[in-house]
Amino acid sequence: MKSVLVLGQGFVGKYLVDLLESRGIDYASTTTSGRDGTIKWCIADDTHNSTLPAAESIVVTFPLQGEVEAKRLTTEYLNHHRKVHGDTYNPFWVYLGSTRPFKETPSTCHTRPDLVAGGPRVEAEEYIINTCGGCVLNLAGLWGGDRVPENWARFYGDKDKLRNRLKDRSLHLIHGADVARVIYAIVSNSDKASLFAGRWLVSDEMVYDALQTFIGAAHIQGYLEELLEEAEVREMLNAEKIDDIEMGSSAVTKRIDASHF
């Protein structure tokens, strides 16, 4: 039996397996292509999850499409491996989510996620917590390697998108390597089920100014100059021109409080 099974060796998964290897942890991981020695596996194709090895902890790095998919994955996996390991076999599930559905200011691990904003992903999270007794890590904005926050300016390709972002400029981040360390701290703990079952918000505990992060992009500066022609935007920013805008962490409100972890 493996110590850890990583379902989805993508962005976070690669950081995680690198850390597991460095700590000498026996693990297996999957990709849809089977690259780099991983198990070729796709949840849509493996109806009984028979290609997946048994493990003490299972980390799901990709979004599950609602309670139905979460139930199918966990139930069929258990049914398959309990035939070999007995009915007491009960791995610990770790499921990665997002802080996007948390709308209260500040939101903590005790805050209920917005079901409309979270959609099927939150349904799956609730199933992992309440039925499987697992752990959900709601992650702030992921960065690291080629994922550079300054490059996210491309997501604001018109004035309306930038205008909406100006209403809440708070930006919360977590590096992929730090997520891997969080997961390792959980799966390597012998008492993980009692210590970590439930929901946790994960960030670097800083708050950044999205406008300050993106302002170096020429199109952002152009849109911002046009937006400052609007009285509503000038009032929102308390500025007449770009140089007058207060930027930095002191100019934004901390929306995610991850201090409970």
Side-chain angles (χ1 to χ4, degrees), residues 14-62:
K14 185 61 170 67
Y15 280 105
L16 178 57
V17 300
D18 287 348
L19 179 59
L20 295 175
E21 283 186 4
S22 71
R23 301 297 174 91
I25 303 299
D26 187 23
Y27 75 92
S29 61
T30 72
T31 59
T32 57
S33 64
R35 68 179 185 274
D36 301 326
T38 59
I39 299 168
K40 184 178 181 180
W41 177 82
C42 176
I43 189 172
D45 298 335
D46 190 354
T47 56
H48 300 292
N49 301 304
S50 56
T51 59
L52 300 176
E56 297 172 8
S57 299
I58 303 168
V59 182
V60 184
T61 68
F62 58 88

Side-chain angles (χ1 to χ4, degrees), residues 10 19 21 30 72 77 101 105 112 123 127 132 140 150 176 184 189 194 211 224 235 237:
L19 179 59
E21 283 186 4
T30 72
R72 181 170 71 83
Y77 181 87
T105 302
R112 293 291 298 168
E123 284 184 20
Y127 185 86
C132 302
E150 287 80 2
Y184 176 76
N189 194 299
S194 61
L211 183 57
L224 190 55
E235 181 178 357
L237 299 176

Side-chain angles (χ1 to χ4, degrees), residues 196-211:
F196 297 112
R199 183 185 298 281
W200 304 92
L201 272 58
V202 182
S203 82
D204 64 8
E205 272 299 277
M206 301 289 289
V207 59
Y208 305 91
D209 183 350
L211 183 57

Side-chain angles (χ1 to χ4, degrees), residues 57 83-84 123 129 145 169 182 190 192 207 241-242 246 258:
S57 299
K83 293 176 184 177
V84 177
E123 284 184 20
I129 293 170
R169 288 157 47 191
V182 167
S190 59
K192 50 185 165 286
V207 59
K241 58 184 185 297
I242 292 178
E246 180 187 357

Side-chain angles (χ1 to χ4, degrees), residues 27 34 74 82-83 117 141 161 206 223 243 250:
Y27 75 92
T74 56
R82 281 177 174 172
K83 293 176 184 177
K161 290 180 180 178
M206 301 289 289
Y223 290 148
D243 290 344
S250 61

